[in-house]
């Protein structure tokens, strides 16, 4: 993107070819959104709603996460539900191929402790919303069973 200014006034927004520096497309507007693991667009909202109902059953009246996502609004902590927004999840290990991987001697302990912290956080969140079943069950979304 190239933004051309005259003083403090934006005159044009253009895409350009990095090699030739020639303009490819003049644009009238550009939406800048915060960086995230996913965007709340029709497809990701649909995928979340279907996955949420499949995982937890019927949605209650007072579910702020489900309501916010359904309305296309961000909700604090929604990144913890990433598997419900994505068609498929990759891990860093999926990109290593047959390369040798060395793990720090206390690495597994650190992973266990982190998942313990996440579970405690989810339990605390559930107390505030009254949805302990959904929050505690969500720990299963963070990792495959028996992966530690």
């Amino acid at each position: 993107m190239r933004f051309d200014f005259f003083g403090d006034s934006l005159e044009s927004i253009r895409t350009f070819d990095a090699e030739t520096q020639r303009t490819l497309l003049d644009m009238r507007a550009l939406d800048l959104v915060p960086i995230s693991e996913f965007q709340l667009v029709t497809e990701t909202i649909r995928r979340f709603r279907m996955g949420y109902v499949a995982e937890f059953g019927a949605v209650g009246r007072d579910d702020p996460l489900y309501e916010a996502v359904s309305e296309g609004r961000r909700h604090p902590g929604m990144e913890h539900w990433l598997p419900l927004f994505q068609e498929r999840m990759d891990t860093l290990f999926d990109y290593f191929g047959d390369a040798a991987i060395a793990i720090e001697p206390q690495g597994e302990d650190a992973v266990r402790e982190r998942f313990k912290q996440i579970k405690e956080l989810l339990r605390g969140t559930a107390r505030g919303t009254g949805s302990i079943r959904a929050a505690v069950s969500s720990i299963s979304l963070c990792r495959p069973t028996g992966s530690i």
Side-chain angles (χ1 to χ4, degrees):
M1 301 306 300
R2 177 172 285 150
F3 299 92
D4 293 320
F5 287 89
F6 182 75
D8 290 341
S9 299
L10 179 63
E11 286 193 327
S12 66
I13 304 171
R14 300 181 284 170
T15 61
F16 66 97
D17 182 298
E19 269 187 45
T20 66
Q21 297 293 305
R22 298 188 78 122
T23 297
L24 299 175
L25 177 68
D26 286 316
M27 301 178 67
R28 297 195 58 195
L30 174 69
D31 288 329
L32 297 174
V33 296
I35 191 71
S36 178
E37 288 86 357
F38 56 89
Q39 295 298 319
L40 284 174
V41 294
T42 304
E43 180 60 25
T44 56
I45 292 170
R46 183 192 65 76
R47 194 175 294 127
F48 170 84
R49 290 171 54 117
M50 289 174 55
Y52 195 91
V53 170
E55 184 74 23
F56 305 116
V59 178
R61 290 183 182 189
D62 189 29
D63 190 329
L65 171 67
Y66 190 85
E67 284 180 27
V69 173
S70 294
E71 295 170 6
R73 292 183 291 112
R74 302 197 65 74
H75 185 75
M78 64 191 284
E79 291 80 14
H80 292 289
W81 302 89
L82 189 59
L84 296 179
F85 290 95
Q86 301 296 341
E87 189 171 334
R88 121 190 125 99
M89 297 290 292
D90 292 330
T91 70
L92 186 58
F93 299 108
D94 294 325
Y95 297 93
F96 286 143
D98 293 332
I101 300 169
I103 298 177
E104 185 176 316
Q106 296 175 339
E108 287 187 18
D109 293 337
V111 169
R112 280 190 198 91
E113 181 60 29
R114 181 64 181 137
F115 280 117
K116 180 180 164 189
Q117 291 171 356
I118 291 170
K119 196 169 194 173
E120 288 170 5
L121 173 69
L122 292 172
R123 282 191 175 135
T125 300
R127 279 189 216 104
T129 64
S131 178
I132 195 156
R133 177 181 62 93
V136 174
S137 296
S138 69
I139 194 69
S140 67
L141 296 173
C142 297
R143 61 181 168 82
T145 304
S147 65
I148 294 181

